[in-house]
Amino acid sequence: MVRIVKRTDLTKRQSVMFRLLAILGALLAAGIFILFLGFNPFRVYLSMLDGSFGSLYRFKESIIQAIPLIVSSLGISIAFRMKFWNIGAEGQIIMGAFAASYFALYWSNLPVYVMLPLMFLASAAAGGIWALIPAFFKAQFGTNETLFTLMMNYIAQKIIVYVQYGPWKDPKALGAGKIALFGDNAALPEVFGIHIGWIITVVLVILVYIFINKTKRGYEIQVIGESENTARYAGMNVKKIILSSLILSGALCGLVGMFQVSGVNHTLSYQVANGVGFTAIITTWLAGLSAPVIVIVCFLFAVLQQGGTFIQTAFSIHSSAAQLIQGMILFFVLGSEFFIQYRLVLKQKTDKLIKKEAA
């Protein structure tokens, strides 16, 4: 009875209106849920903002949460532009953290000016290699990259579980499955109270924007995303471009692992990625794969997460309820993207449109 038709006539102003209506709908739906919990929705929403901007410390925490989301989204956006659905950012983050932690734990005598660059390069290399594996099978044998990259997430996580409870277990932890804290030479320095990863993130955003929009390889990536056959006809080496681009995509995600173990946790655990790789898929899509927009979307998402954490304490709201509020808001925003791209048309109207185009 109903068909989905691609929109071709939606203006930017109408797109903005759709998104604003989605946000209002999300606040209304979440507000009803909050009422059922016995709280005032306006107070809860104000507390969420207070939890993100109410003090300098809370604002810094929002930025710290945004950093891994931004860098992961940048990496994913490169793969997505080629229609290579890299769902493996979580595993690439984990392997980047694993490689960086190896040097922090077993090369601990290195001076800081050698240690940090080494950890940086090791994390990027590990993330790139982890992304290269599914890229190779996709380019060589046409495997399904969505399933392949997804499964590699769990392999990466199990590797960390093994070393955390096995060979890397801290003998001073009194039997607990814990890896030792890193030395000071393996900790990222802070600038304005936030680890230096935020400066690196700003640089990466600029570089990725230039790479995609101003370089030959960036143009080739976009052409492959539109049509691989067109790229081949134009003389592009599609396999080589896919492989090299996925190395870059995975390397960016791998850097996130280094930021987390060196700048935030100061140790390694199997929860190092903490779902960032999966969340970044959403933020990348919402940002339309644009590097500057990724910054805005990821920061707003970090604010939502930080605010959700704050209301758990402020109102004694259970964590699952706070996550449900975040999920409802996200559901509406994602839903608006569907209606911006497509519209629902009754079958009779669709048949008339087809006949009109045929005539």
Side-chain angles (χ1 to χ4, degrees):
M1 296 296 295
V2 179
R3 290 184 180 178
I4 299 173
V5 179
K6 179 78 173 177
R7 287 186 183 273
T8 57
D9 57 347
L10 199 68
T11 64
K12 288 186 177 180
R13 184 177 178 182
Q14 289 173 323
S15 298
V16 172
M17 289 301 298
F18 265 108
R19 291 186 174 96
L20 289 176
L21 287 173
I23 293 171
L24 290 174
L27 294 175
L28 179 62
I32 294 171
F33 175 69
I34 293 169
L35 278 174
F36 277 111
L37 293 176
F39 301 103
N40 185 327
F42 295 103
R43 286 189 60 199
V44 172
Y45 289 145
L46 288 174
S47 292
M48 291 181 74
L49 292 175
D50 185 42
S52 299
F53 303 103
S55 68
L56 183 59
Y57 171 78
R58 294 170 193 169
F59 180 65
K60 288 178 180 178
E61 286 299 307
S62 298
I63 294 176
I64 289 171
Q65 289 200 43
I67 289 170
L69 273 177
I70 293 170
V71 180
S72 300
S73 298
L74 291 174
I76 292 172
S77 69
I78 293 173
F80 278 16
R81 283 187 179 275
M82 297 187 298
K83 300 294 190 296
F84 187 105
W85 308 118
N86 179 15
I87 314 298
E90 190 88 353
Q92 291 147 27
I93 292 170
I94 292 171
M95 294 310 294
F98 173 71
S101 298
Y102 169 77
F103 288 99
L105 293 169
Y106 292 98
W107 295 66
S108 55
N109 293 327
L110 292 174
V112 63
Y113 56 85
V114 175
M115 174 66 78
L116 291 180
L118 195 58
M119 292 172 68
F120 187 92
L121 293 173
S123 63
I129 292 170
W130 206 249
L132 176 63
I133 297 170
F136 171 79
F137 280 91
K138 169 70 174 181
Q140 195 69 28
F141 307 108
T143 56
N144 186 309
E145 74 275 13
T146 304
L147 293 174
F148 206 131
T149 53
L150 179 63
M151 289 188 294
M152 291 193 69
N153 292 331
Y154 302 105
I155 295 172
Q157 189 178 62
K158 294 306 179 184
I159 290 173
I160 305 302
V161 170
Y162 168 69
V163 298
Q164 181 175 337
Y165 290 90
W168 288 13
K169 183 178 176 180
D170 184 6
K172 299 178 182 179
L174 302 176
K178 181 181 176 182
I179 295 173
L181 292 173
F182 298 167
D184 292 339
N185 62 334
L188 285 175
E190 293 186 352
V191 179
F192 302 124
I194 305 171
H195 68 77
I196 202 172
W198 73 268
I199 296 177
I200 300 173
T201 299
V202 172
V203 173
L204 289 175
V205 169
I206 296 170
L207 291 178
V208 169
Y209 176 80
I210 294 172
F211 173 73
I212 292 297
N213 296 284
K214 305 295 182 181
T215 67
K216 178 184 176 184
R217 180 51 55 89
Y219 172 74
E220 291 172 339
I221 288 172
Q222 295 184 69
V223 171
I224 291 174
E226 293 296 326
S227 171
E228 285 192 19
N229 290 331
T230 301
R232 290 191 183 92
Y233 183 77
M236 298 179 188
N237 189 333
V238 174
K239 289 184 179 181
K240 181 180 177 181
I241 294 169
I242 290 176
L243 293 176
S244 60
S245 300
L246 259 294
I247 290 174
L248 178 59
S249 175
L252 288 170
C253 294
L255 287 177
V256 174
M258 189 263 188
F259 291 163
Q260 294 304 96
V261 296
S262 181
V264 180
N265 302 327
H266 304 293
T267 187
L268 175 68
S269 77
Y270 68 90
Q271 296 175 321
V272 61
N274 199 28
V276 168
F278 294 118
T279 305
I281 295 169
I282 299 170
T283 53
T284 304
W285 193 257
L286 286 175
L289 311 183
S290 168
V293 182
I294 280 173
V295 177
I296 299 171
V297 172
C298 289
F299 179 71
L300 292 176
F301 203 93
V303 166
L304 181 62
Q305 289 181 318
Q306 177 68 12
T309 302
F310 181 76
I311 63 173
Q312 292 178 40
T313 304
F315 293 90
S316 298
I317 295 177
H318 194 275
S319 61
S320 59
Q323 290 170 1
L324 185 57
I325 293 170
Q326 296 175 40
M328 291 172 72
I329 295 172
L330 187 60
F331 177 80
F332 273 80
V333 174
L334 286 171
S336 70
E337 294 299 315
F338 172 83
F339 289 102
I340 289 170
Q341 298 293 329
Y342 304 96
R343 59 193 175 97
L344 302 178
V345 180
L346 294 175
K347 185 178 179 182
Q348 292 179 346
K349 291 184 178 181
T350 308
D351 293 338
K352 289 180 181 179
L353 286 172
I354 294 172
K355 290 178 181 179
K356 186 177 180 181
E357 291 178 357

